[in-house]
Amino acid sequence: MTKSKIYKISGVLVLIGFLAGGIWYWQLPNRHKAIVKSFLFEKTGIVNPNWKVENKLETYKMISPEFYIDGIYKSMEGPKASNYVQLSQDSTVLWLTGFQVKAINNKSLQPISKDFICHTNIDFNDVKYYSSFHLEKRIGTQYPRLTSLSHGMENFNFPKGYGVPMKGNELLYVTTESLNHNLPDANFWIRHEVDINYSKEKNLKPLMSRTAFIMLPYDKYDPYKQPTDPGTNQCIPVETKNHSYDDGKGNKLSGHWVIPVGKNTYRSEVNNQLQIQDSLRLHAAAIHVHPFATQIALYDKTAKKAVFTSKIVNHIGKAGLTSIAPFSSEAGIWLYKNHDYEIVLDVNNTTTVSQDMMGSMFLFFYDKELDELLQKN
């Protein structure tokens, strides 16, 4: 075989490879396209994957790598980056007191619209965390997510006198993701600045986190069939691979579902997620919802009243959340083992097409057991 023939065959194979790769890429959902682009940007040196970090005055500040915004990215679709956080070099107990995320210009690092913030997750290693406080029985009982900031609630602080304790040399894992609901012709770069506030005081009261969220049943045999039967309380899941759960009886539940045009109310029992053994005193809550949510409440079905209600303000004339009211209380509110609780979410889809929705709460309770252990040390 001549060299020219080898070159021709090689050229054809390369062309076929490019075509096949292009077809594969364009069939990917937005979320996976963003992952592919971010990977290529890092490998080709277009984006520096390193974070800028500064730790002083009891604030751990991180600036993410650049995110390329080149079209619409709905919730959980945009470019994202992750980083490990270590607040100090020794095992001294520090207290997490607040969190903040800002979208910033990629060059000047000045703040820009909050509409480019999807969410910022703060996770911890529950094996190391609970073992360090001799609370091994808690390992694996909850998903190890401490909290999450998101569009509409870009900062969150615990009430005065309270915090989440952790050994300074343990690691947090922070993931921040970008968003763009309204600019289909976008073509620019941004970054995220994430701040974690902490205190070295020794007289704070410890909080523990419990995550509760709406899970709605769907037809596992035909999940996307519309319309759903109103009598079954079923939903249409956005997808069945992520945020899909089993109720222990073989039925499927989704924490990410589709809402039709107009006003609707969704509710979901959360007793199993709260895991109340006796009673718990709630002091704070961070909320995660999507645009077109108007109100979310933790509801005590036994007492027939809301534990708290978070009002949600949507943008006017475009998709997005202006604000989500957090819950914060120094006095706290008691929740009881013999009461039934649910999350109730009101939505108003003012567009002409279906939208996606979630309803989650990161609930912070006074941790009496941990407080007693800390007092002994």
Side-chain angles (χ1 to χ4, degrees), residues 228-249:
T228 57
D229 180 353
T232 63
N233 191 38
Q234 289 191 333
C235 73
I236 304 295
V238 171
E239 58 175 305
T240 58
K241 293 182 180 179
N242 294 292
H243 304 287
S244 187
Y245 311 92
D246 191 294
D247 69 351
K249 302 176 183 177

Side-chain angles (χ1 to χ4, degrees), residues 33 47 88 110 122 148 150 156 202 229 283 296 321 326 333 342 373:
K33 286 180 181 177
V47 169
S88 72
Q110 294 302 304
I122 296 96
S148 183
S150 60
F156 175 69
K202 296 182 179 181
D229 180 353
H283 286 277
I296 190 169
L321 297 171
I333 299 177
E342 65 180 358
L373 290 172

Side-chain angles (χ1 to χ4, degrees), residues 193-320:
E193 179 188 307
V194 181
D195 293 354
I196 299 177
N197 299 321
Y198 62 94
S199 174
K200 298 178 181 178
E201 293 184 31
K202 296 182 179 181
N203 59 345
L204 300 185
K205 293 293 184 181
L207 296 171
M208 60 178 170
S209 176
R210 298 275 170 88
T211 303
F213 54 94
I214 291 179
M215 294 185 289
L216 300 174
Y218 66 87
D219 185 344
K220 62 181 178 181
Y221 301 108
D222 194 2
Y224 304 114
K225 180 182 178 181
Q226 297 191 48
T228 57
D229 180 353
T232 63
N233 191 38
Q234 289 191 333
C235 73
I236 304 295
V238 171
E239 58 175 305
T240 58
K241 293 182 180 179
N242 294 292
H243 304 287
S244 187
Y245 311 92
D246 191 294
D247 69 351
K249 302 176 183 177
N251 302 311
K252 288 295 185 180
L253 306 170
S254 179
H256 188 197
W257 71 98
V258 174
I259 61 170
V261 174
K263 294 182 178 181
N264 282 282
T265 298
Y266 301 92
R267 58 184 68 232
S268 176
E269 176 270 324
V270 293
N271 293 333
N272 291 336
Q273 298 175 52
L274 294 178
Q275 299 179 5
I276 301 176
Q277 301 300 317
D278 180 15
S279 59
L280 289 173
R281 195 171 74 228
L282 179 67
H283 286 277
I287 307 298
H288 172 68
V289 294
H290 291 183
F292 309 108
T294 58
Q295 178 175 284
I296 190 169
L298 178 62
Y299 190 78
D300 185 334
K301 295 175 65 178
T302 305
K304 298 181 180 180
K305 65 178 183 179
V307 177
F308 74 87
T309 300
S310 175
K311 299 292 185 180
I312 302 160
V313 179
N314 282 258
H315 292 342
I316 297 175
K318 63 178 182 177

